[in-house]
Each structure stands twice: as C-alpha cells, then as structure tokens.
C-alpha cells in the first residue's frame, strides 16, 4: 500500500543509528502520564528496531513551548514512562542537537533506546529550518517516522529529516493509515462528526472542508464557544477565540451550502473556577453568567448528541465535549462515548475516534476497545478525513 517504504524494506540495521520520530505528546497531570496509549502504539517499532540491533534514537515534541527549554515541557518524565511501557531502559539526553545529544548517542550500544529532549525547545523545529535539520540528521544514519499524529506538521523532525536521510514509515504510521482507509475510505452515510477539545485556532480551519465531507457536525468543548460567540451568544469567561468569529461564521455558511447540519450546544455546565469539585450549574446557553465558564455541555445537548449518533452510520470524533479530566465536567463526553460504543457493539455504527486527549477520554469512559478504530491522531486524523495531504506522509512517498 501507500507508496512509501516501511520497516519491511529497511534492511540490516544492526549498529546503525536510527532516528525515530514518535509522538510522545501524552496527557500528563502532576508530572504523571495519565494515558499511555501513544507510548504503547510506538512500542512495536522501537522493539523491532532494537531487536535487530539498531541504536534507536527517539525524537519527539511535548506541548507547545513558547520560550525555549523549560521543566514544564521537558520530555524527561516521559522517558521514564516510556521505559515502563517498553519494560526496558530508555536513556535521556537534555538536548536534541549539539554536544549533549552527540555524547549520548556516542555512548549507545547496539539495541539501546535513547530519547532526545523536546524538539520544540528550538524554534527552528517548527520553521523546518535546514540548518536545524542538519543538526538533527548528524545523529542518525536512517530516519523512521512513526508519528502519524504529528504528520500534519511540516516540521524539521516530521518532514525535513525525510529529505536528508533514507526514510521509512514506522509500524504505527503504517497501521494508522491502513486502519483509517479501511474504516473511513468509503464511509457509509450518514457520516456524523463530533469535534470538541481546546485546540481551536489550529483546528477551526479544517472544519471548512470537513463540512463538505460529512452530513452533520456536532461541535462541543472549547471549540463550540467560538461558534456560539460568533452567533452572538455571550459565553462569559469560557475558552473562546473571539478573533476567529469570522472563520466560524464562514464555516456555518459553507455547511449550509453543503447541506451539513451544524449542531451547537443548547445548554452548558458552568463554573467560576477550573478545578475539581468546583461549584457548577447547568444553564441554557443564552444564560451563561458573565463570570462563568462553560466546562461541559448540558443534558439537553447530550440528548441531541446521542440522537445524532443514533442517526449516524459512521461517526468520526475528535476532541472531548468538555473538560473531562475534571469531575463533574466529564459527564457529556462519557455519555456520548458510552452511547457510541453501544451502537458500535450492536453493529449499527462504524465509530472512529482520535486525538491524544480523546483517546484518554474514551479510556476514562472505559469504552476505547468498543470503538471500531481508535487513532492516536486528532488534528492529523481530521486533516486526513478532509482529504488534505499530510506533509509527514507525503515526504515518505518521494
Ligand atoms: N469547554 C471547555 N473548556 C476548556 N477546555 C476544554 C473544554 N472542553 C474540552 N476542553 C479541553 O480540551 C482538551 C483536549 O483538546 P484537544 O487537544 O483539541 O483534543 P485531542 O488531544 O483529543 O486532539 C482537554 O484537555 C479538555 O480539558
Ligand atoms: O497531540 C497532537 O495532536 P492532537 O491534539 O490533534 O491529537 C500532536 O502531538 C500534534 O501536536 P500539535 O497540535 O501541538 O502540533
């Protein structure tokens, strides 16, 4: 399939330095990984390469650091979590380029696994600067991309390196593309999409095309607030990107033209603080207090979401409906997840969900195994669904 080389084509790797781009952008609370799905999914590629005697050097980003290195965005705790999942030591180097990286790589024995510090501690990573790519490439003989969930980013470690070193798709990259093609390549209609979560500015644009591919788009989570505000609803202190009101309005126009129903929350669970056990109340969406934050959609909206799931033959879902990490703001996400899982078990729904936090939410609801397919990817999965070429995948085909 796919037109790129995989680990089946890689040949002898014993003693070779293999730079493996993985996605370790995992949910973390109080310094602990709260959902290890992304780590579990990269284990096959790491084990296979290490088992063949390669020096496996992991490259990854974590979060969106703005100001260079910081403890908050360090991958060091994730190296420990990765070691736990792999059941073997994972060494860590405090930089992804330069002397620290070179020394750690030089100390590796065949079969060792090393994680390099957050690539986004260098601004040049996101700018895909050739000089930075050269510095990354200096530590490798071969490049493997196993980060499907970051393949929508044309960064040095996700795209640039593939121009510089012999490049292969890892097992998860391969499996994700195969599974998405199987589940959604020719989806049975009606197709209903649920999009929520918090990455409003980076995901809103792709809704413009998504509304042309699906029959209904249910918008929840932080994403909904921008649409509600664009429609003139006062969302108080909720997460909302007011400057994207024009984009939200245009998406609603495009959806109407394409015959795609847009479903926005009719009610919300509001609180004054974003913390566990904060006092909360459910209000009609027109009655959000000026000092309140919508942290979940309300019961009326949940009913509407489950009704849309009942109408769907295919469901695609990225982004939780509320701040599910904090009780009681997990109610809507858990209810929708359980409902979709039940429909899938009954054979009435093909359900495909993805995203680092969405997977964590499905695990929290205890239903991840009941979905037809759970992708590690959120934004990349939606862009794939849009039909947009993913830079990290396209470059592997060259
Ligand atoms: N109404 C809301 N207000 C603030 N944050 C929210 C809201 N709804 C969802 N979120 C947050 O969205 C985050 C997940 O968003 P996102 O990263 O876009 O999803 P994914 O990782 O699945 O792609 C979660 O941390 C969740 O707490
Ligand atoms: O977590 C990720 O994407 P997702 O939130 O869409 O699932 C990827 O690691 C990409 O991260 P980015 O959106 O900061 O580039």
């Amino acid at each position: 399939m796919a037109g790129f080389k995989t680990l089946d084509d890689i040949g002898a790797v014993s003693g070779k330095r293999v730079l493996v781009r993985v996605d370790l952008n995992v949910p973390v609370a109080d310094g602990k990984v709260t959902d290890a799905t992304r780590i579990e999914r990269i284990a096959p590629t790491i084990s296979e390469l290490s088992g063949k005697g390669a020096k496996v050097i992991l490259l990854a980003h974590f979060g969106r650091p703005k100001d260079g290195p910081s403890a908050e965005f360090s991958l060091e705790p994730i190296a420990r979590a990765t070691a736990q999942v792999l059941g073997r030591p994972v060494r860590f180097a405090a930089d992804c380029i330069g002397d620290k990286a070179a020394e750690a790589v030089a100390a590796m024995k065949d079969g060792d696994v090393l994680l390099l510090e957050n690539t986004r501690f260098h601004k040049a990573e996101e700018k895909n600067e050739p000089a930075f790519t050269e510095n990354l490439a200096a530590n490798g003989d071969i490049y493997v991309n196993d980060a499907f969930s970051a393949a929508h980013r044309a960064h040095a470690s996700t795209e640039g390196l593939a121009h510089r070193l012999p490049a292969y798709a890892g097992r998860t990259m391969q499996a994700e593309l195969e599974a998405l093609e199987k589940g959604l390549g020719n989806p049975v209609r009606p197709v209903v999409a649920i999009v929520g979560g918090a990455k409003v500015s980076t995901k809103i644009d792709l809704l413009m095309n998504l509304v042309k591919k699906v029959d209904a788009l249910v918008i929840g989570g932080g994403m909904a607030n921008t649409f509600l505000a664009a429609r003139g609803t006062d969302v108080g202190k909720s997460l909302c990107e007011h400057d994207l009101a024009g984009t939200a309005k245009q998406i609603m126009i495009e959806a109407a033209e394409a015959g795609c129903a847009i479903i926005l929350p009719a009610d919300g669970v509001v609180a004054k603080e974003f913390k566990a056990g904060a006092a909360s109340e459910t209000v009609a969406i027109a009655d959000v207090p000026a000092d309140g934050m919508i942290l979940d959609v309300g019961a009326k909206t949940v009913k509407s979401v489950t009704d849309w799931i009942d109408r769907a033959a295919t469901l695609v879902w990225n982004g939780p409906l509320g701040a599910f990490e904090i009780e009681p703001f997990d109610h809507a996400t858990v209810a929708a997840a359980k409902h979709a899982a039940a429909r899938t078990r009954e054979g009435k729904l093909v359900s495909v969900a993805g995203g680092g936090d969405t997977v964590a939410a499905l695990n929290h609801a205890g239903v991840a195994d009941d979905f037809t397919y759970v992708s590690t990817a959120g934004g990349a999965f939606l862009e794939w669904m849009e039909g947009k070429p993913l830079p990290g995948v396209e470059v592997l085909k060259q």
Side-chain angles (χ1 to χ4, degrees):
M1 71 152 287
F4 48 61
K5 291 182 180 153
T6 70
L7 297 193
D8 294 329
D9 309 299
I10 204 166
V13 290
S14 183
K16 295 215 171 124
R17 301 165 306 161
V18 184
L19 288 169
V20 185
R21 186 31 160 118
V22 290
D23 191 349
L24 292 175
N25 197 22
V26 292
V28 169
D30 303 324
K32 294 247 167 350
V33 173
T34 53
D35 188 276
T37 305
R38 280 184 172 164
I39 306 178
E40 288 158 9
R41 295 279 186 98
I42 57 170
T45 291
I46 297 172
S47 302
E48 184 172 339
L49 290 169
S50 160
K52 289 180 175 166
K55 293 169 180 164
V56 182
I57 304 154
L58 305 177
L59 288 169
H61 73 279
F62 182 58
R64 294 174 171 177
K66 294 266 171 294
D67 306 311
S70 68
E72 184 189 358
F73 292 110
S74 174
L75 276 170
E76 193 164 13
I78 317 261
R80 289 194 288 276
T82 307
Q84 247 169 20
V85 170
L86 296 177
R88 54 172 307 150
V90 173
R91 287 164 215 278
F92 179 75
D95 199 351
C96 63
I97 56 167
D99 292 345
K100 285 177 189 154
E103 280 160 24
V105 171
M108 291 176 85
K109 296 190 184 66
D110 293 355
D112 277 357
V113 182
L114 167 72
L115 172 63
L116 303 182
E117 182 60 287
N118 197 341
T119 51
R120 290 189 184 171
F121 282 170
H122 297 268
K123 282 200 165 50
E125 155 74 344
E126 288 171 73
K127 293 183 189 151
N128 202 354
E129 280 179 13
F132 177 70
T133 307
E134 279 305 311
N135 288 334
L136 289 175
N139 290 314
D141 305 304
I142 295 172
Y143 170 69
V144 170
N145 190 348
D146 211 24
F148 173 68
S149 42
H152 54 323
R153 309 287 179 223
H155 295 172
S157 67
T158 60
E159 203 269 351
L161 273 175
H163 294 288
R164 187 53 198 74
L165 295 173
Y168 301 85
R171 294 297 181 202
T172 285
M173 172 71 87
Q174 201 185 345
E176 289 265 26
L177 287 162
E178 278 169 7
L180 289 179
E181 189 56 45
K182 188 167 170 240
L184 297 176
N186 191 12
V188 185
R189 290 189 174 269
V191 181
V192 174
I194 302 178
V195 176
K199 286 184 178 173
V200 182
S201 55
T202 59
K203 286 183 187 163
I204 197 164
D205 283 338
L206 59 85
L207 300 183
M208 203 79 81
N209 282 331
L210 197 68
V211 294
K212 294 168 196 154
K213 304 262 173 188
V214 303
D215 301 293
L217 172 61
V218 177
I219 308 178
M223 181 68 87
N225 302 334
T226 299
F227 282 80
L228 290 167
R231 211 182 56 177
T233 304
D234 186 351
V235 295
K237 289 205 159 62
S238 305
L239 172 74
C240 179
E241 307 219 11
H242 292 279
D243 54 334
L244 294 173
T247 310
K249 277 184 195 157
Q250 190 57 35
I251 289 166
M252 291 191 267
I253 292 168
E254 301 273 342
E257 279 172 10
C260 169
I262 296 266
I263 298 94
L264 287 171
D267 55 355
V269 184
V270 296
K272 295 199 166 85
E273 294 170 290
F274 193 0
K275 66 172 196 194
S280 61
E281 57 173 340
T282 301
V283 298
I285 215 68
D287 298 330
V288 174
D291 58 351
M293 285 179 286
I294 309 166
L295 292 176
D296 198 9
V297 300
K300 257 195 194 153
T301 308
V302 171
K303 173 78 174 70
S304 153
V305 175
T306 53
D307 284 350
W308 276 101
I309 292 172
D310 287 343
R311 277 176 223 149
T314 303
L315 174 71
V316 294
W317 183 359
N318 166 248
L321 293 171
F324 76 97
E325 300 93 337
I326 301 175
E327 284 184 18
F329 309 110
D330 58 342
H331 279 185
T333 304
V334 168
K338 287 189 168 164
H339 196 82
R343 295 283 295 176
T344 310
R345 280 196 303 269
E346 289 161 15
K348 292 177 178 146
L349 183 70
V350 171
S351 53
V352 182
D357 289 302
T358 305
V359 175
L362 297 188
N363 282 329
H364 172 71
V367 296
D369 291 343
D370 295 322
F371 273 59
T372 309
Y373 182 64
V374 176
S375 172
T376 58
F381 152 51
L382 291 182
E383 289 197 21
W384 177 91
M385 182 77 198
E386 266 186 285
K388 222 169 148 185
L390 304 177
V393 175
E394 290 308 302
V395 71
L396 294 176
K397 297 178 184 168
Q398 288 171 19

